[in-house]
Amino acid sequence: MVTAACGAKGGAGASGAEAESPDSPSKGKLDIQVSFYPMYEFTKQVAGDAADVQMLVPGGVEPHDWEPTPRDIAKLEEADVFVYNGAGMEGWVEQVLSAVSSRKLVKIEASQGIDMIEDAEVHDHPDGDEHEPAEEEAHEHDHEHEHNQAHHHEHEHDREQAHEEAHDHNHEHEAAGHHDHDHNHGGLDPHVWLSPALAIEEVRNIEAGLSQAAPEHQELFKKNADAYVAKLEALDQEFRETLASVKRKDFITQHAAFGYLARDYGLRQVPIAGLSPELEPSAAQMADIVKFAKENDVKTIFFETLVSSKVAEAISKEIGAQTAVLNPIEGLTEEDLSSSRDYIVLMRQNLEALKLALNE
């Protein structure tokens, strides 16, 4: 979704920034605020030197737990562009944007137009009958991926139409009013960036939005986006080839963040908890997971960065399995920053972790 009350011009007034950055955007550059890390990485790759890109959610902070402050709202008042994932990931967005009076702010919802997973689909019951085997799911989602790939190629030819449709959608969205920004994802799984195939679509949406905000840089944005998309396409191919030959298709993870990765690459996610990592599983859910793990000889339980691993460790101890990290890449740790790890590096680490676990 790309929306704005009127056109934006880079270099607008003073704005707060990350600790490492100056307190105001460089003169003549777009002042872009983004919600959390994947949006920062994708936006920075597209904007290049034409913008100063700053994150609202600090590094190392779990985005589900973060709440905006008046200072954050002030940043958005001064910004030219705000990029967010959408689909309920940033539960505070509607309320915060309703408090922003800036008429120049261009709002880009990176997940706009993506085929979303409904909340009910991620509550996988390992022993239930309502879920198809992984092989059947893989076959079904291969067709979905082909459709998404076709949509991706058509997207470049339809940007003007997409802008108009997104603008219309925003009026409907604003008319609905704002809601309490708790950790409810609004019935949708928002973790689309964890599928490289869908990360490509988010990058293209960001490119389209930035081109609307600063049409004088449209060629630069396209050049940068094309270069980054080529890297994401190579990453997508690595996932496709590697995961096609693994011995097992099911993997147990701490919370249901990997539904799109599973859907697009022929796997089956078995989450311990729901879409929000702070949700604690019930005793019945824990028993189901333990039973499933024992029956299927699962040897690895995945946990994630930025949140406690105690539930995953408890299950692994009970069944005699090991634990390993499967990173939802919602924020960078200090170790990530010191090692210069970015989205592509971390996704390759995820791929290696899945390869090892699914071939045990």
Side-chain angles (χ1 to χ4, degrees):
M1 176 172 66
V2 182
T3 62
C6 61
K9 178 71 174 70
S15 170
E18 296 174 271
E20 310 79 60
S21 305
D23 285 337
S24 60
S26 301
K27 186 176 180 181
K29 291 188 176 186
L30 281 175
D31 176 5
I32 303 178
Q33 297 290 329
V34 304
S35 54
F36 68 114
Y37 173 70
M39 300 303 101
Y40 174 86
E41 179 70 14
F42 298 164
T43 302
K44 187 69 177 173
Q45 291 290 338
V46 175
D49 294 332
D52 286 318
V53 184
Q54 303 159 7
M55 278 191 299
L56 291 176
V57 180
V61 174
E62 220 300 317
H64 296 85
D65 298 332
W66 184 80
E67 296 287 347
T69 66
R71 183 167 181 251
D72 296 313
I73 295 175
K75 292 178 185 180
L76 292 173
E77 288 283 6
E78 297 295 336
D80 299 305
V81 179
F82 173 50
V83 181
Y84 63 106
N85 183 78
M89 180 65 195
E90 304 92 342
W92 43 267
V93 159
E94 290 186 19
Q95 185 170 343
V96 167
L97 290 182
S98 72
V100 173
S101 60
S102 172
R103 298 187 61 202
K104 70 177 181 177
L105 183 65
V106 174
K107 294 159 256 184
I108 303 174
E109 183 177 8
S111 65
Q112 179 69 23
I114 289 175
D115 181 22
M116 308 299 291
I117 294 175
E118 296 289 338
D119 190 3
E121 296 178 56
V122 305
H123 294 296
D124 208 343
H125 302 284
D127 300 317
D129 298 327
E130 66 270 36
H131 300 281
E132 298 175 352
E135 291 78 6
E136 295 179 22
E137 291 180 0
H139 177 75
E140 174 186 346
H141 295 306
D142 280 344
H143 290 296
E144 289 182 13
H145 177 74
E146 290 169 7
H147 171 76
N148 286 340
Q149 289 287 75
H151 172 74
H152 162 61
H153 292 302
E154 292 169 3
H155 183 74
E156 295 189 36
H157 302 290
D158 296 333
R159 286 182 191 162
E160 291 300 320
Q161 181 180 353
H163 287 160
E164 295 175 10
E165 291 175 354
H167 189 75
D168 291 341
H169 173 83
N170 180 66
H171 289 303
E172 297 172 5
H173 185 65
E174 290 175 349
H178 64 268
H179 307 283
D180 291 338
H181 50 281
D182 57 16
H183 300 142
N184 188 328
H185 292 302
L188 298 175
D189 179 355
H191 303 88
V192 293
W193 65 91
L194 290 169
S195 162
L198 298 183
I200 291 170
E201 294 194 39
E202 292 208 299
V203 168
R204 290 303 187 189
N205 283 339
I206 292 168
E207 177 202 349
L210 294 185
S211 295
Q212 175 181 320
E216 68 273 19
H217 295 306
Q218 183 173 354
E219 290 186 8
L220 173 65
F221 296 149
K222 184 180 187 308
K223 177 183 176 182
N224 290 344
D226 287 349
Y228 191 55
V229 164
K231 296 179 181 179
L232 293 176
E233 288 174 338
L235 181 66
D236 171 53
Q237 189 62 28
E238 289 176 39
F239 268 75
R240 206 158 294 283
E241 292 176 354
T242 299
L243 297 176
S245 59
V246 293
K247 295 178 181 178
R248 67 173 77 224
K249 298 295 185 180
D250 302 309
F251 64 97
I252 297 176
T253 187
Q254 186 159 325
H255 93 283
F258 300 92
Y260 295 99
L261 187 156
R263 183 183 76 177
D264 290 349
Y265 301 101
L267 304 179
R268 182 190 180 204
Q269 171 187 238
V270 181
I272 297 171
L275 287 171
S276 295
E278 69 269 18
L279 292 177
E280 292 285 340
S282 67
Q285 287 173 318
M286 288 279 284
D288 283 346
I289 293 291
V290 168
K291 180 182 178 183
F292 174 85
K294 289 179 176 178
E295 290 178 349
N296 291 273
D297 196 26
V298 173
K299 299 186 186 309
T300 300
I301 306 295
F302 286 113
F303 68 98
E304 61 192 60
T305 56
L306 303 184
V307 296
S308 171
S309 60
K310 64 180 182 180
V311 175
E313 289 173 352
I315 292 175
S316 67
K317 183 176 180 181
E318 181 165 349
I319 66 174
Q322 63 179 343
T323 58
V325 171
L326 199 59
N327 194 338
I329 318 183
E330 294 176 350
L332 299 183
T333 64
E334 289 298 326
E335 183 181 352
D336 293 332
L337 292 169
S338 63
S339 302
S340 299
R341 295 170 187 159
D342 59 13
Y343 171 83
I344 289 178
V345 170
L346 294 172
M347 284 300 292
R348 286 200 169 107
Q349 289 182 351
N350 281 344
L351 178 58
E352 183 64 22
L354 285 168
K355 177 184 175 182
L356 291 173
L358 298 178
N359 282 314
E360 290 176 323

